[in-house]
Amino acid sequence: QVQLVESGGGLVQAGGSLRLSCATSGSIFRFNTMGWYRQAPGKQRELVATVTSGGTTNYADSVKGRFTISRDNAKNTVYLQMNNLRPEDTAVYYCNARGNTNSWGQGTQVTVSS
């Protein structure tokens, strides 16, 4: 069973930065694509960013130029560096791993105050 453990969420003022981490159980090479999604209260879960095993990245238009996704294969960890945060970035952020299965982490809260 795949386990994804997220960390790094918290409360930050608008314009600030946070870095989210997602540690996987076992080798990260099992997953073709890893990504971050978020869900704000009353809204559907939406894509934030993904990275493939080959390093190709994809971002939601709303975060392009502010967020960066990366993966450290040696540490079996995926990161989301979030800069210039806005109040509308407030949400629970979920790590996702896709390979033979589609797995989700438990989520980490990010709150951006204005």
Side-chain angles (χ1 to χ4, degrees):
Q1 183 176 356
V2 175
Q3 288 187 325
L4 305 175
V5 180
E6 299 124 329
S7 61
L11 172 64
V12 65
Q13 289 187 333
S17 299
L18 285 173
R19 189 176 80 155
L20 305 183
S21 300
C22 173
T24 68
S25 58
S27 173
I28 199 173
F29 290 105
R30 293 177 293 165
F31 311 116
N32 296 324
T33 302
M34 296 198 67
W36 290 93
Y37 291 72
R38 66 188 181 187
Q39 187 166 17
K43 295 187 177 181
Q44 291 188 335
R45 190 172 297 188
E46 62 178 6
L47 168 73
V48 176
T50 60
V51 60
T52 69
S53 56
T56 301
T57 57
N58 180 53
Y59 296 93
D61 288 342
S62 60
V63 306
K64 283 181 180 177
R66 300 187 298 123
F67 291 11
T68 302
I69 189 170
S70 62
R71 57 191 286 166
D72 186 332
N73 294 330
K75 295 183 178 180
N76 296 317
T77 301
V78 173
Y79 303 99
L80 184 69
Q81 177 66 44
M82 305 186 293
N83 298 328
N84 191 21
L85 282 160
R86 304 168 180 169
E88 53 263 40
D89 294 318
T90 296
V92 178
Y93 283 70
Y94 296 92
C95 180
N96 174 259
R98 296 188 180 186
N100 292 329
T101 59
N102 186 27
S103 302
W104 295 91
Q106 79 285 355
T108 185
Q109 177 70 46
V110 171
T111 303
V112 185
S113 63
S114 57

